[in-house]
Amino acid sequence: MRIAIFGAGALGGYLGARLVEAGEEVALIARGAHLSTIQQRGLTISSQQGNYVAHPAVATDKPSEVGNVDVVVVSVKAWQVPAVPDAIAPMMGPETFVVPIQNGVEAPSQLVEKLGEHAVIGGCIQIVAQLLNPGAILHVTPAANMSIGELNNSRSQRVDLFQQTLINAKINCTIPGNIHAAMWTKLLYIAATSGVGAITRAPFGAWRTLPETRALAHDIMEEVFSIATSRGIPLPESVVSTMMATADGFPAESTTSMQRDIMEGRPSELEFINGSIVRLGKLAGVSTPANDFVYHCLVLQESTARASL
């Protein structure tokens, strides 16, 4: 397949590098020193799945240099999604489809507004990866797990083909019965781990062992579950206990991308994680005191970081 990674940072870069390693024709859309390093020396991956230096078919900051592709994986930050349709237009052919993998649940509908429902499939990824230096990515977790699916939850040849392509590239990929449930499950998990991590400035191993902060994470998850249920999203009753167990299984020193952005004074995805729960809770008439607390404590710093852009 001919695949473009729009936003080849830590997550998108890791996916792109593995796809290059598997023999796919990959275009990485990046910028700045990161792009320059990829163009000059390739993209270096350090991972338990195997170290690799990827040399993509194209590395550029100009989608017009890529041409039409089969798939565009959108891995920019959530607040950048509204600008994506215009930016990727030069890569879109009549059968090209787009896979957003942002944190949160709002990216697919934002893309559908401009691209149409046929051009977008749902996606989410569970991975811990960090951009160590320009052109160098550290993959922390033992594996990368991804879910994809048509937004109407039908089975399609294009989703089956892309799933097999990802599996061939060492990405554990599933096609769930309901892609929206998979995305809401990730939101439930990331809202708790990112929110509590950002509030405490502590890694997983610290906040999950203290009863008070562990209870806060649990309450955040319960609120997401209540909103999802009110919207008809079929999450299992056990999802909160399952996701708490998942958090318990992460390396003690782990942190989340939103947490790291907030701790380092950068703009984060707060508005699209805990902030989205606050907004969607109001629309659904569901009380969200735990997410309100996290959001209200962090929104001033988030506003300051955005004002500095």
Side-chain angles (χ1 to χ4, degrees), residues 105-164:
V105 295
E106 298 168 300
S109 60
Q110 291 174 326
L111 294 173
V112 165
E113 285 181 11
K114 291 188 177 181
L115 298 175
E117 187 163 354
H118 178 70
V120 183
I121 72 170
C124 59
I125 188 168
Q126 294 82 39
I127 182 177
V128 178
Q130 299 176 27
L131 189 63
L132 293 180
N133 297 295
I137 293 171
L138 173 65
H139 174 218
V140 178
T141 44
N145 301 305
M146 191 165 172
S147 297
I148 59 174
E150 296 286 355
L151 295 177
N152 63 5
N153 293 313
S154 64
R155 198 67 183 250
S156 69
Q157 185 177 13
R158 65 182 185 174
V159 168
D160 288 344
L161 175 60
F162 191 45
Q163 178 198 28
Q164 191 57 56

Side-chain angles (χ1 to χ4, degrees), residues 280-295:
L280 295 173
K282 289 178 180 177
L283 289 174
V286 174
S287 178
T288 58
N291 282 282
D292 289 353
F293 170 73
V294 169
Y295 179 69

